[in-house]
Amino acid sequence: MTEKLRFAIVGCGVIGPLHAQALASLPDAELVAVADHTTERAQRLAAQYGARAYTDMDEMLASEQLDVVTICTPSGLHGEHACRAMRAGRHVIVEKPMEIRQEAIDEMLRVQQEQGVKLAVISQHRFDPAVRQVRGLIDDGAFGRLVLGHAQIPWWRSQAYYDSGDWRGTWRLDGGGILMNQSIHQIDLLQWMMGPVKSIAAYTDTLVHRMETEDVAVAILRFASGALGTITATTGAYPGLATRLEILGDKGSAVIEGDELGYLHLARDEKEAVGAYGFSAKTSRPATSESDGSAASNPGALAIRSHALQIADMMRAIREDSTPLVDGHAGSQPVEIILGIYEAARTGTEVTLQ
Ligand SMILES: NC(=O)c1ccc[n+]([C@@H]2O[C@H](COP(=O)([O-])OP(=O)(O)OC[C@H]3O[C@@H](n4cnc5c(N)ncnc54)[C@H](O)[C@@H]3O)[C@@H](O)[C@H]2O)c1
């Protein structure tokens, strides 16, 4: 058997333990150390997985032989922590968003180049089977010309959620609200399927929660391909409905509801053409009509499967000396779109991306 890759996790709050669980499901990975500046959190997670606990990540980097460091700290600290680990010669997996400021992203890409290490950014839903299937069909041209792409995130977060960490809902460390924190997953999938975004118009507001950043947002997009799209998102829709991603083309259409393929219809599978007026089909499952008990209402209710698949993809890239599916450049793309939406909403003008 190949030698196990040695992992450490920095940040043992909500998502850090899920990474530990995902690593435990991978036979050729080993969690050797964890760090959190809250001592009890580090000790609890370390004890659960037989790892060593640190309160200072620099001390951990100096003391441990590590292959990969996973950064699970508040979003506005990702750049600082990822760069520290990369400067210590470690490969890095960083949670989403890659960072919340463009300058910090540029610095991460620069340090990664300079150190010759690998950098992966978590976007675990790219590894969901329904997403892989739709993306594969797009690559095959099965949807024809893409005309519209819609991402809906009608989620619920209570005030208690925003009060549970002093960084949540702040510009300085969360970098935004429903868009930068929760919707980044769907925005990444939307641009991964529809291609790069060219221009953006948007409104955002804070209607339900006591916090600095937005809890409701609507954006209109024009993609570089000429297709149009929308993003509608909130953490104020009680009790939290499933996300919905619609990819619509002139030879086929698909809807992903939550993590599942809710609808798929392709002209190439037709025995007879649908005729001049087409038809409007219902999705197979009314998933959007009720809370699905997933991350729509509970940030801790995440399955580890897709995280484990993404960590395995990074391990493959390290062993083969190739590029992980979501490298630093891919990880920066949804952040650039979100920063563009904030600028469009703030200035009331259409924003063009490079
Ligand atoms: N991929 C996903 O689905 C997903 C889900 C939840 C969170 N996240 C991301 O994970 C990150 C963490 O979110 P969370 O909900 O786990 O937050 P959290 O507040 O629950 O946990 C963050 C942890 O980092 C620790 N920390 C802060 N500064 C530190 C430092 N300098 N050194 C060591 N430890 C430090 C805190 O003590 C805390 O335990 C965020 O960027 C978030 O966007 C991703």
Side-chain angles (χ1 to χ4, degrees):
M1 186 176 138
T2 46
E3 229 175 276
K4 290 187 178 196
L5 290 181
R6 296 164 64 84
F7 281 76
I9 295 171
V10 183
C12 308
V14 171
I15 201 71
L18 188 133
H19 278 265
Q21 218 185 321
L23 286 169
S25 75
L26 297 168
D28 51 348
E30 185 182 5
L31 179 63
V32 296
V34 302
D36 196 299
H37 65 185
T38 307
T39 317
E40 314 80 74
R41 284 190 190 170
Q43 284 176 346
R44 197 182 323 130
L45 191 62
Q48 210 178 334
Y49 289 93
R52 280 172 292 280
Y54 292 83
T55 45
D56 177 358
M57 80 173 277
D58 290 329
E59 196 190 323
M60 180 184 81
L61 290 171
S63 314
E64 297 286 343
Q65 278 199 323
L66 301 168
D67 296 302
V68 188
V69 176
T70 300
I71 307 297
C72 297
T73 50
S75 306
L77 299 174
H78 287 178
E80 181 192 327
H81 292 159
C83 286
R84 274 202 232 166
M86 289 191 288
R87 286 200 178 98
R90 318 299 185 201
H91 304 294
V92 164
I93 298 175
V94 60
E95 259 297 346
K96 52 58 44 176
M98 180 174 172
E99 242 291 347
I100 58 177
R101 279 172 281 270
Q102 189 60 54
E103 312 79 70
I105 287 176
D106 294 344
E107 177 68 358
M108 290 164 89
L109 294 173
R110 200 187 61 70
V111 172
Q112 187 234 329
Q113 279 286 315
E114 178 190 278
Q115 296 296 323
V117 294
K118 307 218 181 278
L119 174 63
V121 181
I122 293 290
S123 183
Q124 76 267 21
H125 295 293
R126 284 202 191 192
F127 293 82
D128 293 348
V131 169
R132 301 305 291 253
Q133 184 183 352
V134 172
R135 169 63 205 227
L137 289 167
I138 290 173
D139 289 346
D140 290 350
F143 291 89
R145 172 156 198 171
L146 294 176
V147 287
L148 282 172
H150 300 297
Q152 291 174 26
I153 307 94
W155 278 9
W156 171 250
R157 292 288 182 269
S158 65
Q159 186 63 43
Y161 161 80
Y162 286 108
D163 295 342
S164 70
D166 55 8
W167 66 280
R168 297 195 196 281
T170 65
W171 287 111
R172 197 174 69 80
L173 285 174
D174 217 344
I178 174 64
L179 292 171
M180 187 65 92
N181 190 309
Q182 289 85 13
S183 306
I184 191 163
H185 293 290
Q186 298 298 316
I187 293 172
D188 183 44
L189 299 183
L190 186 66
Q191 65 90 32
W192 195 42
M193 294 185 184
M194 299 295 293
V197 170
K198 192 172 131 204
S199 61
I200 302 167
Y203 288 112
T204 63
D205 213 330
T206 312
L207 297 180
V208 175
H209 301 96
R210 283 186 311 280
M211 62 182 199
E212 285 173 13
T213 57
E214 83 291 347
D215 63 8
V216 61
V218 173
I220 302 172
L221 312 175
R222 185 178 277 282
F223 296 93
S225 69
L228 303 182
T230 59
I231 297 165
T232 55
T234 184
T235 49
Y238 184 84
L241 286 71
T243 56
R244 187 177 167 94
L245 187 68
E246 292 185 9
I247 305 296
L248 312 174
D250 72 350
K251 292 196 167 45
S253 297
V255 179
I256 298 173
E257 294 169 321
D259 298 343
E260 307 287 329
L261 188 61
Y263 175 80
L264 176 67
H265 199 121
L266 301 175
R268 74 178 189 190
D269 300 333
E270 297 285 1
K271 298 229 165 29
E272 291 168 34
V274 292
Y277 293 93
F279 65 87
S280 43
K282 294 211 169 357
T283 54
S284 56
R285 200 169 52 93
T288 49
S289 63
E290 56 190 50
S291 173
D292 63 355
S294 71
S297 54
N298 176 5
L302 279 165
I304 61 156
R305 182 193 55 185
S306 298
H307 266 87
L309 287 171
Q310 186 164 6
I311 296 168
D313 174 71
M314 174 62 150
M315 292 169 68
R316 174 200 55 76
I318 291 169
R319 293 197 197 282
E320 294 174 0
D321 193 16
S322 60
T323 308
L325 176 68
V326 193
D327 66 359
H329 289 285
S332 71
Q333 283 157 359
V335 180
E336 280 166 32
I337 295 168
I338 291 166
L339 293 176
I341 296 174
Y342 288 144
E343 190 187 336
R346 189 169 39 80
T347 59
T349 58
E350 184 177 342
V351 165
T352 305
L353 300 186
Q354 302 306 318

